[in-house]
Amino acid sequence: MAIVKEAAGAVVKEVAAHGEWRMKCPKCTQEMDLYEKDTSSGRDMRTYVCRPCKEYVDVDNGVALWQVLHDANDKAREKGSG
Ligand SMILES: [Zn+2]
């Protein structure tokens, strides 16, 4: 399991076994709920909310995973396996 500590706000990101990000509230360290997800730009942008604190955190995970997989698929097809 990878753990990344952000410089700003000491928000802790954890990658669970199934590949989803888990956000922990910088105030109370409770696991945050996914509030909004936007991959329309090909980037994995998410907003998480801690309901007790009403704390919102925006996360940019960069290029969305499905986009990477899609590109990899296209490249595999270009090579042509017959
Ligand atoms: Zn909180």
Side-chain angles (χ1 to χ4, degrees), residues 25-30 50 52-55:
C25 176
K27 286 187 179 175
C28 70
T29 69
Q30 294 255 20
C50 176
C53 300
K54 294 187 170 60
E55 181 82 359

Side-chain angles (χ1 to χ4, degrees), residues 6-73:
E6 300 273 316
V11 175
V12 178
K13 287 200 293 190
E14 289 183 10
V15 182
H18 50 94
E20 280 291 309
W21 287 107
R22 286 183 178 185
M23 296 300 299
K24 287 189 177 174
C25 176
K27 286 187 179 175
C28 70
T29 69
Q30 294 255 20
E31 197 168 307
M32 302 177 84
D33 287 336
L34 180 62
Y35 178 73
E36 198 172 63
K37 183 176 175 180
D38 179 15
T39 55
S40 60
S41 60
R43 297 179 70 84
D44 192 345
M45 306 286 293
R46 298 180 189 196
T47 304
Y48 289 85
V49 59
C50 176
R51 297 184 194 280
C53 300
K54 294 187 170 60
E55 181 82 359
Y56 289 81
V57 176
D58 290 315
V59 182
D60 178 359
N61 284 327
V63 178
L65 184 60
W66 61 263
Q67 186 76 41
V68 175
L69 293 173
H70 181 80
D71 287 352
N73 255 345

